[in-house]
Amino acid sequence: MSEGLNLPERVRESLARAVEERGVQARVVSTRRRDSMRPPTVHLIVAAPADRVEAVRGPARVARRLEFYRTPHGPVVRLALSIYPQDGEPLSAATLLNVAQVSGDTALAGLGRQERFHVHFYRAGGRELAYAFSKELSNAPRQRGEAREILHLARKSFRETPQESRSFRRAVAATAPRFKLPVPLPEEQG
């Protein structure tokens, strides 16, 4: 994949602006050919300043974590990722999945089904976003099972949250203090 994903211009501008304002960004997108009956394929987009992206090009170890949080305002699912290059600091990013939206539910379902998924790296600078490279990650049976379980828990939590209490923004605000990066490598977890 030499061109990356065909991101709409508004998405490219939004990501570049977010990197400029808040640093490294991640988004999950699901794609499918228009004429295909197959389920959408999940991809992760990571946008960062050019020097941070180039630092993780080549051999690197990847740690990722899918997190589920239950709140009085509804569920929050977070996909966090850290790329550890052979030399230097890890590049870490995270994105939130809202199962109340089709895009979040579809992405989580895809993570429960796909054996592999791609992380696409984009260099951001001066409100511009340029494709750099992609890495293909294995999505092992244990990780797929975990994604299916989290999807089940998130859907159940959403259904059980009274409609008048539902607010993804409030749910995120309640859980944000618990968000941690970088994701430790498996051998470093205790």
Side-chain angles (χ1 to χ4, degrees), residues 37-58:
M37 293 299 289
R38 290 189 146 158
T41 303
V42 176
H43 300 263
L44 181 65
I45 296 170
V46 175
D51 60 329
R52 299 290 311 277
V53 169
E54 292 306 317
V56 297
R57 186 185 290 268

Side-chain angles (χ1 to χ4, degrees), residues 90-182:
L91 174 65
S92 296
T95 188
L96 302 173
L97 303 173
N98 182 353
V99 295
Q101 295 181 336
V102 172
S103 59
D105 193 89
T106 300
L108 198 48
L111 289 172
R113 182 185 63 254
Q114 291 174 216
E115 292 181 11
R116 305 193 143 313
F117 75 98
H118 288 89
V119 180
H120 306 280
F121 293 87
Y122 287 80
R123 295 181 299 268
R127 304 231 176 206
E128 296 290 321
L129 197 66
Y131 173 74
F133 62 92
S134 298
K135 289 185 182 279
E136 183 180 78
L137 302 182
S138 172
N139 197 25
R142 180 188 57 75
Q143 292 166 318
R144 292 192 310 267
E146 178 184 52
R148 287 189 298 269
E149 178 64 21
I150 287 175
L151 177 60
H152 171 75
L153 290 171
R155 285 175 173 169
K156 182 178 180 203
S157 176
F158 180 76
R159 283 191 311 271
E160 292 173 350
T161 303
Q163 190 162 355
E164 63 276 4
S165 298
R166 291 178 188 162
S167 169
F168 191 66
R169 188 176 354 172
R170 288 185 187 150
V172 169
T175 56
R178 295 166 47 198
F179 296 164
K180 303 285 185 238
L181 286 174

Side-chain angles (χ1 to χ4, degrees), residues 16-95:
R17 190 171 40 254
V19 169
E20 188 175 75
E21 294 169 2
R22 297 185 301 278
V24 179
Q25 297 292 304
R27 302 287 187 278
V28 172
V29 296
S30 300
T31 63
R32 150 171 87 185
R33 289 193 343 246
R34 292 186 193 271
D35 59 346
S36 177
M37 293 299 289
R38 290 189 146 158
T41 303
V42 176
H43 300 263
L44 181 65
I45 296 170
V46 175
D51 60 329
R52 299 290 311 277
V53 169
E54 292 306 317
V56 297
R57 186 185 290 268
R61 297 189 324 168
V62 178
R64 72 173 193 244
R65 184 171 50 220
L66 197 55
E67 304 166 346
F68 169 72
Y69 301 92
R70 183 185 318 265
T71 77
H73 306 289
V76 174
V77 177
R78 180 176 179 252
L79 175 60
L81 176 87
S82 292
I83 300 95
Y84 290 84
Q86 289 181 332
D87 298 316
E89 295 295 313
L91 174 65
S92 296
T95 188

